[in-house]
Amino acid sequence: MAGHSEEHSAHAHPSDRFYWIVAGVLAVVTALEIGLFIVNEQHLIAKWLEVTLLLILSTIKGAAVVMFFMHLKGDAGIFKFVFLVPLAFATTLLLSFMVLFSDHVGIAG
Amino acid sequence: MAIAERTAGTVSIPVVNVRPGWAGWLSTTDHKRIGIMYLVSAFVFFLIGGIEALLMRIQLGVPDNTFLTPDVYNQLFTMHGTTMIFLGLMPLNVGLGNYLVPLMIGARDMAFPRLNALSIWLFIFGGLMLYVSFFVGGAPNVGWFAYAPLTQKQYSPTAGVDYWIIGIGLTGVASIAGALNFIVTILNMRAPGMTLNRMPLFVWMQLVVAFILIFAFPVLTVATIQLLFDRHFGTRFFLPNLGGDVVLWQHLFWFFGHPEVYILILPTMGIISEVLPTFSRKPIFGYAFVAYSGVAIGFLGFLVWAHHMFAVGLGPLANAFFGAASFLVAVPTGVKIFNWLATMWQGSLNLTTAMHYAIGFISMFIIGGISGVTLASPPINVQQTDSYYVVAHMHYVLFGGAIQGIFAGIFYWFPKMTGRMLDERLGKWQFWLMLISFNLTFFPMHLSGNAGMPRRIYTYEADMGWNLWNLISTTGSLLLAVAFLLFLWNVVTSIRRGPIAPADPWDGATLEWAVSSPPPVYNFAVTPRVRSRRPLWDQKYPHLREINSGHGMSGAHNESEKRDGFEHETSPAMEPIHLPSPTYAPLIVSVGIMILGFGIIYLSDFGLIAASAMIVGLLIMAFGILSWVRISHVDSPHHAH
Amino acid sequence: MRILPGTLLRATILIALLVILTACSAGPGDTYDPYGDNARRIYELLIPIWWMALGVFIVVEGLLIYAIWRFRRRPGSTAMPAQVHGNMQVEILWTIAPAIIVLVIAVLTFRTQAENAVMPEDALRIKAIGHQWWFEFQYPGLGAEGKPLVTASDMYIPVGRPVTVVLESQDVIHNFWVPKLAGKTYMIPGKTNFLTFTAEQPGIYRAVCAEFCGEAHALMRFRVIAVDEAEFERWIDQKKTPPAAPVGTLTVNGLTGDAARGQAIFLDARKQCIACHVVEGTNARGLIGPNLTYYGSRQTIAAGVLPYSPENLARWLREAPKLKPGNLMSRVLTPQWIRANLSDQEIADLVAYLDSMKVSVALPPER
Amino acid sequence: MSESSMTRPPTAAAHHTSLGVDNRKLGVWTFIGSETMFFATLITTYFVFAPVNRARPDFQDPRKFLDIELTTVLASILLASSLTMVLALSASRRGDRRSFTTWLLATVGLGLAFIGGQVYEFNHLYHEGLTLSSSLFGTTFFVLTGFHGAHVAVGVIWLLSVFFKVRAYPDSPENAMDVEIAGLYWHFVDLVWVAIFVLVYLI
Ligand code: HEA
Ligand code: HEA
Ligand code: CUA
Ligand SMILES: [Cu+2]
């Protein structure tokens, strides 16, 4: 991590080669996702495990896009703030609504 | 004291290319003019909302009244609520912010002056669109939170709801654009030395509010888009018989709606935090606590939305959670209240009209806050929700709180904005009349609410025991109108004949008082360098300067820095003053968007005509954007003129 | 000295209001006058919170008024007060003190919440369905042949026995509120809600729809009639047998209506009534409007628009569009339609018929 | 304006900012934060209704309608466009105008390809009987992916406007920033697709 942030700091921008590598990683992860999806049409592993793996893989993907393509990694802290705080709110929104809509008891007060 | 004069010899004063007369206003990108346009248009909308309220109050003055038909009454309360919130209070706050934030942080303008102009136009057109609905088949009549499925075509066949959606949509885009502008301006355009820790509290609160806005508003936008699709394009988000979920609308609306009420109150809490110290001749007590409690309120505001839904049947667990979270808001709010009291404590209170209103804010807001706490208790809430008790609560916080806070701000900053003083004596008459009639109007609503009077009823039976309360309310509201007329009179006469305002009429402490009244277009001839929270104050009273200002900041002040609250850049002659040129582009873009909006409303009913309107709108928009891009390039600081 | 008279004035007004409050007797919708366990527990929760709130109010306003009086700038004074920036101890104090108060409030709240959420197994279940703009009540299994017993606008319940109201809606959201018996609960299309309460005293309780539900929301009312258990059984027994063939006459507004003729008109498809209304034991099977079986025993007409009386009933049939703007009956029974299709004599006959269907119950007092 | 003021480096006094970051870049990042909430709400709605859809008589099974091959192509297109975008930025920072043009137009092309793919997909689904009103899945799916598609379209227009601006004023010192902020928006739209891809198509 430290090694990279060196590279991204100040105005030293990463090389094109680096972007190609990131894109390669993204391609591989996407392939893994799709592979997992197709293979598990046969229900080889439990659904929850598949979902967890998929979420992890796409988090990696998203993080790579944000950190390297959008250069959030190593960029000014304020950008992290204005992006990550709403991201946290957004996640809260999603999770809390899933809880709220999971079952209705129907007793008021 | 005015820097502009003192240093004018050493800087290049820009030739400002302001168009004369109306054209100047239509093409302006000056944050001060835009601020005034916000204030004036919002105040006009406010008066219209007030007249709607008066009509409702007349209808409710006596039981079984037939002054209004139910449908008209329903349109009136919907438009009253929508107007007051979206077209009155919010833009009044935005207007003050627009005018003052750049001045207070020592900037020449907002970060994006043209975007700022777009915001004001979208706001005005959004408001006008809402009001067009009255003339084309009926205004929205579903209440300001527009619960599904009443809003569906089946139950609300007129275009009123569509106008509501589009009108709110336009003002919503305006608000989001405005919030982006505030965030960037406040974070990035502060004068040298103006650390976050030295920012005036009004600016702090505007910053918090801008963040709340950009987090909360998109949720409303999505909900209204979904409703629009339900009404016109065959979706079923909120159609229960097809599997849609009407409770989802409520969650989405209030996920926005509760943060919204803090959007309304926090800027005025910022005003109070400016007015009280000035007229107490003391610094704000517990600056950091007042600032961070605002952040805490803003944050907690996102965790309490379902306290508007206790009667929905979410289950005891959910209700308990949202109730507890709501109680928690009382703590940071209390912190603010007590710090304000401590600011006044042992001060030298100059009881100007602005100070009257600031004190009025505290005394009335806590009544609303306390009724909020009873409402936040789920069991109590199910007795009080949907009753006039809620109407009482909201008006104590909205009127007793926010509107009185705005008046504090207007009386405080009017001299700065117009160069004239308002009449203080008239102002105090207005204050007392307003305070009394406000309580006459809204206090009885606690009682009628707890005596079983539901809200949003156009008539009631004579034997319910509510007659006296309603009569008092109606009387009070008529007196309120007199108070507003006093204010209008005061403004009109003072602008013409009021005493000329000096740069610093109140012995203020913050940067806006360092420039002339009204300030020059470029605000500061030379960008000030800030050394403390009270830059101007420290300059006027060097012996009282805050040695350790910015608490916890390193004491790296050298001798010359200690001498002055703020200084000017050491090389004044160097910096050319750069101001954005006037342009019609934002106006054109918003006209295009408005026409597009009309097209959307009628798309499913008048396909061809509406579609052509949409295309026309898009073309106008495209034209506006093109000239926008051109002017912003020509105008860019790097571009040789 | 400027500010004092105003403050006094304000205080006087508030005190005057409080005096009026205590002096005036409870109205029919008063939440401070509970007759049901649910509402009573809420009221008992409100009282301590109210005292705490009053305490906070007095402290804050007291400090405020004292500060204004004590620290106001005297004329000619140029003194510069001490520039105090803050104090950690007091900050902590006034963070913790309100926190403790709200903690107490929360604990009390949760207790009441738990008590009011209890739904006993043996509670009487009544289904309440919201319509634009009236309430329908179904007593499952209590009608003829185990079918639900259906009525509207008057909800009979036994005293002293827990009732669980199962809340549903036919169209938009409504809100079921009997202020003296229980807190309100939404009736939501696509969702079922429950509300349990016990009436502690016999009585006729006013109730309303509290959520805005469209044009005639203000006129969507009902009554809860709590009678003792034996009387309730008697009501059920009568209600579940279809009304006998109508006999007799009734004079309304000078016209003598004939019940049997009225029934014939009612059942005449050209007069439309049966398209929307049910009368048990006849071929009136319309499900759009309220069930009119034993209509003669209603307390009110059209969800509380008028008190029940033959004269008012005749008025309703003639002027429904005016009496309750927007009501769905008037979509068909427009003023023109009525003029063309219902003579005053026919209306008198209809009234005689509807009024002839009565059950006998000993009515409790109005609360 | 005096000549001398123009000789100063563009990031100095004229662009002095409190945080030392560019105003417009900060604005776009903040806007992206706001858009995050926008899409989160749409995605939340999708999830709230997924189980309801399953329980209804007019249930339409996402798995039956969504075609993994087409989706893979769409996802790859957008990911590739992110690469070309960042390469365009890199080229514009280097001042390499030719490869900037290439990569930027490649991005535009990929964006158009994505939109084309989505139009194809929607058309295909429509003929299979999935519409806005056919089921809750149709309702939530089209509104979510449709709004994403609209964002891609806005992105394409934005990129084109940057392209023309740079062509008209090749020496403007703001060009790199113009490209960067358009790129930020573009990557964000890609990012949303990463989420939609997994949440809607795969799970
Ligand atoms: C400016 C706007 C504003 C503000 C600031 C507030 C503040 C609060 N509101 Fe209010 N509210 C509205 C505007 C506002 N509200 C509106 C418009 C509605 C109605 C919407 C509609 O239905 O149309 C509404 C409705 C509303 C409801 C739903 C009612 C219903 O319909 O059922 C609830 C329920 O919890 C609630 C709670 C609160 C609480 C707990 C606060 C708290 O933030 C208050 C905190 C403040 C204090 C408590 C006072 C100061 C504190 C102290 C002095 C410390 C000591 C105090 C204690 C220990 C108690 N509000
Ligand atoms: C900032 C917000 C705000 C403000 C300031 C007000 C101000 C007032 N409100 Fe409002 N109100 C709301 C926000 C606000 N309200 C909201 C959100 C609702 C809920 C809506 C809903 O249920 O959907 C509501 C609902 C509401 C109701 C309940 C309606 C119902 O449920 O049936 C009532 C009833 O009395 C009421 C009354 C008033 C009155 C008398 C004023 C007075 O204070 C108004 C004072 C102003 C004036 C009296 C205007 C003076 C005008 C002139 C002097 C004329 C000058 C003319 C020219 C120059 C041409 N309001
Ligand atoms: Cu039903 Cu209001
Ligand atoms: Cu709230």
Side-chain angles (χ1 to χ4, degrees):
Chain A
M1 174 179 162
H4 270 308
S5 58
E6 225 80 299
E7 204 177 311
H8 291 256
S9 64
H11 282 277
H13 299 294
S15 65
D16 284 5
R17 216 173 77 90
F18 175 73
Y19 294 135
W20 281 98
I21 294 172
V22 173
V25 172
L26 289 177
V28 171
V29 175
T30 309
L32 280 179
E33 283 183 327
I34 293 162
L36 181 59
F37 175 81
I38 293 173
V39 170
N40 210 32
E41 305 242 287
Q42 271 81 49
H43 305 290
L44 296 180
I45 57 171
K47 183 77 187 169
W48 67 265
L49 188 59
E50 185 197 344
V51 170
T52 316
L53 288 175
L54 283 172
L55 286 179
I56 292 173
L57 287 172
S58 52
T59 310
I60 294 174
K61 249 165 73 178
V65 170
V66 174
M67 289 199 301
F68 303 123
F69 284 172
M70 298 169 89
H71 306 107
L72 194 59
K73 182 159 187 239
D75 214 335
I78 187 65
F79 299 139
K80 299 190 180 103
F81 180 84
V82 299
F83 176 66
L84 294 179
V85 171
L87 190 65
F89 274 88
T91 318
T92 316
L93 174 81
L94 180 67
L95 295 180
S96 59
F97 272 50
M98 303 227 346
V99 171
L100 283 166
F101 283 87
S102 60
D103 78 324
H104 287 305
V105 188
I107 305 168
Chain B
M1 197 52 53
I3 294 162
E5 286 153 33
R6 207 171 61 184
T7 52
T10 58
V11 289
S12 52
I13 300 293
V15 184
V16 188
N17 172 14
V18 178
R19 301 203 173 97
W22 280 101
W25 290 95
L26 295 178
S27 63
T28 188
T29 50
D30 175 4
H31 73 97
K32 295 181 288 301
R33 286 195 156 206
I34 291 176
I36 288 176
M37 281 158 76
Y38 260 114
L39 288 171
V40 171
S41 48
F43 198 73
V44 169
F45 280 124
F46 179 89
L47 288 181
I48 296 173
I51 291 170
E52 284 157 355
L54 289 183
L55 293 174
M56 295 194 297
R57 277 315 329 164
I58 293 172
Q59 164 70 13
L60 294 176
V62 291
D64 298 316
N65 200 356
T66 53
F67 173 66
L68 298 174
T69 66
D71 190 43
V72 168
Y73 183 88
N74 297 342
Q75 295 177 26
L76 285 177
F77 74 68
T78 306
M79 288 299 279
H80 166 72
T82 309
T83 302
M84 288 300 196
I85 301 247
F86 292 102
L87 310 179
L89 202 39
M90 260 175 100
L92 281 172
N93 285 326
V94 177
L96 284 174
N98 237 303
Y99 198 99
L100 291 159
V101 162
L103 284 167
M104 286 181 143
I105 61 173
R108 295 240 161 81
D109 206 320
M110 297 285 278
F112 308 114
R114 283 173 290 269
L115 191 65
N116 205 15
L118 181 73
S119 291
I120 177 77
W121 292 119
L122 278 181
F123 155 64
I124 290 179
F125 290 142
L128 290 179
M129 269 190 87
L130 254 173
Y131 272 88
V132 166
S133 64
F134 268 117
F135 308 101
V136 291
N141 52 4
V142 290
W144 85 279
F145 43 76
Y147 274 2
L150 187 61
T151 45
Q152 296 289 356
K153 255 218 144 104
Q154 187 184 354
Y155 304 110
S156 296
T158 71
V161 175
D162 303 315
Y163 277 94
W164 185 82
I165 294 171
I166 301 291
I168 299 288
L170 294 196
T171 58
V173 176
S175 300
I176 290 184
L180 292 178
N181 222 334
F182 276 118
I183 290 175
V184 177
T185 307
I186 296 172
L187 288 180
N188 223 17
M189 308 267 291
R190 283 166 282 135
M194 173 70 77
T195 59
L196 289 181
N197 215 351
R198 289 177 183 158
M199 254 170 21
L201 286 162
F202 178 70
V203 180
W204 254 109
M205 292 306 110
Q206 288 280 350
L207 180 65
V208 174
V209 162
F211 273 112
I212 302 179
L213 248 162
I214 62 156
F215 300 160
F217 239 95
V219 181
L220 177 70
T221 310
V222 169
T224 50
I225 288 174
Q226 290 171 339
L227 176 60
L228 187 78
F229 270 68
D230 273 6
R231 282 175 63 86
H232 293 293
F233 308 121
T235 57
R236 50 172 83 167
F237 291 103
F238 311 120
L239 281 169
N241 47 341
L242 294 173
D245 196 328
V246 298
V247 179
L248 177 65
W249 168 270
Q250 302 190 7
H251 278 295
L252 293 178
F253 185 90
W254 291 118
F255 189 93
F256 148 80
H258 186 83
E260 168 72 13
V261 306
Y262 295 134
I263 291 173
L264 299 172
I265 200 73
L266 285 176
T268 57
M269 291 183 159
I271 296 173
I272 304 306
S273 306
E274 299 298 327
V275 171
L276 283 178
T278 298
F279 295 116
S280 306
R281 301 198 102 186
K282 279 180 64 196
I284 185 87
F285 193 91
Y287 172 92
F289 285 89
V290 180
Y292 293 133
S293 59
V295 179
I297 292 172
F299 177 77
L300 287 174
F302 279 94
L303 303 180
V304 305
W305 76 87
H307 71 200
H308 296 269
M309 302 168 60
F310 284 147
V312 166
L314 302 178
L317 216 60
N319 284 356
F321 170 82
F322 287 106
S326 309
F327 291 147
L328 225 50
V329 184
V331 176
T333 317
V335 166
K336 273 183 185 288
I337 303 261
F338 293 121
N339 275 299
W340 288 329
L341 288 173
T343 304
M344 291 167 66
W345 209 254
Q346 299 191 328
S348 166
L349 308 185
N350 183 3
L351 296 171
T352 56
T353 308
M355 187 67 166
H356 275 62
Y357 270 111
I359 293 169
F361 173 102
I362 301 178
S363 66
M364 291 299 113
F365 176 79
I366 74 148
I367 300 180
I370 288 170
S371 58
V373 170
T374 68
L375 282 167
S377 163
I380 298 181
N381 176 282
V382 294
Q383 278 289 27
Q384 298 178 335
T385 185
D386 274 345
S387 81
Y388 261 76
Y389 190 88
V390 177
V391 181
H393 160 70
M394 70 167 113
H395 287 92
Y396 267 85
V397 280
L398 288 169
F399 192 110
I403 294 293
Q404 288 207 92
I406 300 259
F407 272 116
I410 288 180
F411 276 91
Y412 185 53
W413 283 304
F414 187 89
K416 179 55 57 189
M417 297 180 179
T418 62
R420 301 270 186 176
M421 307 293 291
L422 281 171
D423 186 328
E424 283 283 302
R425 221 164 65 95
L426 214 51
K428 283 173 194 162
W429 272 97
Q430 178 205 338
F431 171 80
W432 286 112
L433 184 58
M434 200 179 269
L435 188 75
I436 293 164
S437 49
F438 161 75
N439 280 292
L440 279 179
T441 310
F442 297 111
F443 195 83
M445 293 185 186
H446 293 109
L447 308 175
S448 55
N450 279 339
M453 179 160 170
R455 63 193 286 198
R456 297 170 166 185
I457 54 173
Y458 76 99
T459 187
Y460 53 94
E461 292 161 292
D463 64 349
M464 295 304 290
W466 309 329
N467 301 2
L468 178 63
W469 307 141
N470 278 293
L471 191 61
I472 298 177
S473 283
T474 301
T475 317
S477 67
L478 295 172
L479 288 175
L480 264 181
V482 178
F484 277 93
L485 288 175
L486 277 185
F487 175 70
L488 286 178
W489 174 253
N490 197 346
V491 169
V492 170
T493 53
S494 299
I495 280 188
R496 294 223 213 99
R497 297 194 296 273
I500 302 288
D504 179 19
W506 311 119
D507 198 7
T510 37
L511 281 180
E512 78 271 27
W513 305 112
V515 296
S516 62
S517 301
V521 231
Y522 45 85
N523 294 354
F524 300 92
V526 171
T527 305
R529 179 173 282 279
V530 177
R531 308 250 182 257
S532 81
R533 281 182 193 141
R534 298 193 293 169
L536 182 62
W537 182 269
D538 291 356
Q539 193 183 50
K540 289 186 290 191
Y541 304 100
H543 58 290
L544 292 175
R545 72 183 179 271
E546 297 164 42
I547 311 265
N548 208 2
S549 63
H551 300 261
M553 306 236 64
S554 71
H557 309 292
N558 59 33
E559 266 313 303
S560 81
E561 278 182 317
K562 280 186 179 175
R563 204 186 58 241
D564 231 8
F566 66 95
E567 296 171 351
H568 317 300
E569 292 269 22
T570 34
S571 51
M574 282 297 93
E575 193 177 354
I577 294 182
H578 183 85
L579 290 175
S581 325
T583 164
Y584 291 107
L587 176 59
I588 298 170
V589 173
S590 10
V591 169
I593 294 180
M594 182 175 67
I595 295 175
L596 189 66
F598 275 108
I600 292 174
I601 292 180
Y602 292 106
L603 188 60
S604 63
D605 292 340
F606 302 94
L608 207 60
I609 307 173
S612 6
M614 285 173 73
I615 291 172
V616 171
L618 281 172
L619 287 178
I620 295 177
M621 230 174 106
F623 174 71
I625 292 175
L626 278 183
S627 46
W628 184 318
V629 171
R630 197 164 45 242
I631 185 97
S632 55
H633 177 73
V634 172
D635 222 29
S636 95
H638 308 307
H639 186 79
H641 292 241
Chain C
M1 280 320 274
R2 292 204 62 83
I3 207 154
L4 258 186
T7 315
L8 281 178
L9 193 57
R10 197 166 79 217
T12 329
I13 289 170
L14 282 180
I15 290 167
L17 283 172
L18 289 175
V19 169
I20 299 173
L21 164 69
T22 40
C24 91
S25 59
D30 210 321
T31 56
Y32 292 152
D33 185 30
Y35 282 85
D37 63 338
N38 183 304
R40 188 173 38 74
R41 280 192 287 261
I42 295 174
Y43 178 59
E44 284 164 3
L45 171 64
L46 185 60
I47 291 184
I49 295 185
W50 201 82
W51 284 114
M52 283 183 255
L54 194 69
V56 171
F57 176 79
I58 289 174
V59 167
V60 175
E61 304 281 357
L63 288 175
L64 193 60
I65 291 170
Y66 176 77
I68 296 167
W69 176 76
R70 177 78 176 64
F71 302 116
R72 71 188 188 280
R73 194 178 298 175
R74 323 278 151 137
S77 147
T78 52
M80 181 62 77
Q83 303 292 294
V84 183
H85 290 269
N87 178 322
M88 199 48 142
Q89 268 95 31
V90 298
E91 299 286 354
I92 292 173
L93 178 77
W94 61 50
T95 308
I96 290 184
I100 291 175
I101 300 179
V102 293
L103 190 70
V104 174
I105 295 179
V107 170
L108 295 174
T109 290
F110 297 153
R111 209 183 52 197
T112 307
Q113 231 194 330
E115 287 167 3
N116 272 356
V118 174
M119 243 197 301
E121 286 294 318
D122 62 337
L124 173 69
R125 289 213 163 203
I126 304 174
K127 193 188 236 182
I129 305 172
H131 297 260
Q132 275 181 324
W133 289 276
W134 52 282
F135 287 87
E136 173 175 349
F137 302 106
Q138 298 185 355
Y139 298 71
L142 296 185
E145 299 147 21
K147 282 188 300 194
L149 191 158
V150 183
T151 184
S153 290
D154 286 350
M155 177 173 157
Y156 283 81
I157 60 167
V159 168
R161 175 170 166 204
V163 175
T164 292
V165 191
V166 182
L167 299 145
E168 289 175 5
S169 169
Q170 197 74 85
D171 34 50
V172 302
I173 297 177
H174 303 275
N175 195 347
F176 180 99
W177 190 24
V178 203
K180 293 201 173 183
L181 295 182
K184 41 185 108 49
T185 306
Y186 281 2
M187 310 169 99
I188 299 173
K191 175 171 172 14
T192 303
N193 269 335
F194 303 92
L195 170 67
T196 300
F197 61 86
T198 309
E200 293 169 331
Q201 298 277 327
I204 300 181
Y205 299 97
R206 298 280 187 98
V208 292
C209 168
E211 177 61 36
F212 181 66
C213 52
E215 191 167 358
H217 155 68
L219 300 178
M220 180 165 170
R221 306 170 182 140
F222 65 108
R223 298 274 194 283
V224 174
I225 301 170
V227 292
D228 57 43
E229 191 93 30
E231 199 64 19
F232 180 72
E233 295 300 333
R234 226 162 62 77
W235 178 76
I236 293 280
D237 283 342
Q238 298 175 61
K239 201 64 181 170
K240 74 162 70 159
T241 30
V247 286
T249 58
L250 180 74
T251 307
V252 210
N253 303 329
L255 288 171
T256 306
D258 179 90
R261 221 161 50 215
Q263 185 184 38
I265 297 168
F266 190 83
L267 298 179
D268 177 351
R270 282 167 307 172
K271 302 293 184 194
Q272 300 288 355
C273 315
I274 55 173
C276 299
H277 293 285
V278 174
V279 173
E280 299 296 343
T282 72
N283 63 351
R285 292 254 144 264
L287 290 177
I288 294 170
N291 185 310
L292 299 180
T293 315
Y294 291 111
Y295 191 73
S297 290
R298 280 291 178 77
Q299 298 300 304
T300 63
I301 292 168
V305 171
L306 299 167
Y308 181 85
S309 73
E311 287 72 24
N312 281 342
L313 182 53
R315 223 181 124 198
W316 167 254
L317 291 180
R318 207 174 306 110
E319 307 171 10
K322 213 176 93 201
L323 288 171
K324 190 167 185 174
N327 83 76
L328 297 185
M329 181 155 107
S330 309
R331 298 254 170 102
V332 173
L333 273 64
T334 58
Q336 300 88 313
W337 188 94
I338 294 172
R339 241 176 286 122
N341 294 286
L342 282 183
S343 66
D344 284 356
Q345 180 58 47
E346 284 172 317
I347 287 179
D349 294 337
L350 279 169
V351 171
Y353 166 56
L354 290 171
D355 187 65
S356 72
M357 300 182 281
K358 279 190 159 54
V359 292
S360 89
V361 256
L363 283 178
E366 292 253 3
R367 299 283 182 194
Chain D
M1 181 180 293
S2 68
E3 263 310 298
S4 70
S5 75
M6 293 313 302
T7 59
R8 267 184 288 167
T11 43
H15 252 195
H16 166 85
T17 60
S18 319
L19 296 174
V21 299
D22 182 86
N23 273 348
R24 288 189 303 156
K25 188 169 168 188
L26 180 55
V28 168
W29 266 111
T30 315
F31 178 60
I32 286 174
S34 182
E35 290 274 75
T36 305
M37 291 302 290
F38 182 90
F39 279 106
T41 312
L42 284 171
I43 292 174
T44 301
T45 312
Y46 182 87
F47 272 96
V48 165
F49 283 125
V52 190
N53 173 48
R54 216 168 295 131
R56 281 185 56 78
D58 58 6
F59 168 51
Q60 289 182 306
D61 188 351
R63 289 246 172 171
K64 286 221 185 71
F65 283 92
L66 301 180
D67 172 10
I68 187 71
E69 281 125 53
L70 179 64
T71 317
T72 310
V73 174
L74 290 179
S76 316
I77 289 178
L78 267 197
L79 277 179
S81 80
S82 262
L83 174 64
T84 54
M85 184 68 235
V86 81
L87 291 175
L89 172 63
S90 168
S92 105
R93 279 180 176 157
R94 282 196 311 270
D96 179 349
R97 210 170 295 155
R98 250 183 52 127
S99 74
F100 163 73
T101 309
T102 314
W103 290 127
L104 191 76
L105 289 183
T107 314
V108 169
L110 287 166
L112 289 174
F114 178 87
I115 295 173
Q118 208 175 32
V119 168
Y120 170 81
E121 182 193 30
F122 280 14
N123 189 39
H124 174 74
L125 292 175
Y126 178 77
H127 285 293
E128 303 258 290
L130 187 74
T131 67
L132 274 176
S133 42
S134 65
S135 69
L136 277 170
F137 171 59
T139 286
T140 48
F141 171 81
F142 282 118
V143 172
L144 170 58
T145 54
F147 269 93
H148 177 265
H151 278 71
V152 177
V154 170
V156 167
I157 295 172
W158 190 338
L159 291 179
L160 280 175
S161 74
V162 170
F163 171 73
F164 286 115
K165 153 110 199 279
V166 172
R167 217 170 61 153
Y169 311 105
D171 298 321
S172 165
E174 295 197 336
N175 283 350
M177 187 50 74
D178 284 338
V179 178
E180 182 170 354
I181 60 177
L184 282 176
Y185 179 80
W186 188 262
H187 294 305
F188 170 73
V189 174
D190 179 26
L191 187 66
V192 173
W193 189 258
V194 169
I196 292 179
F197 177 64
V198 65
L199 295 176
V200 173
Y201 288 86
L202 295 188
I203 288 182

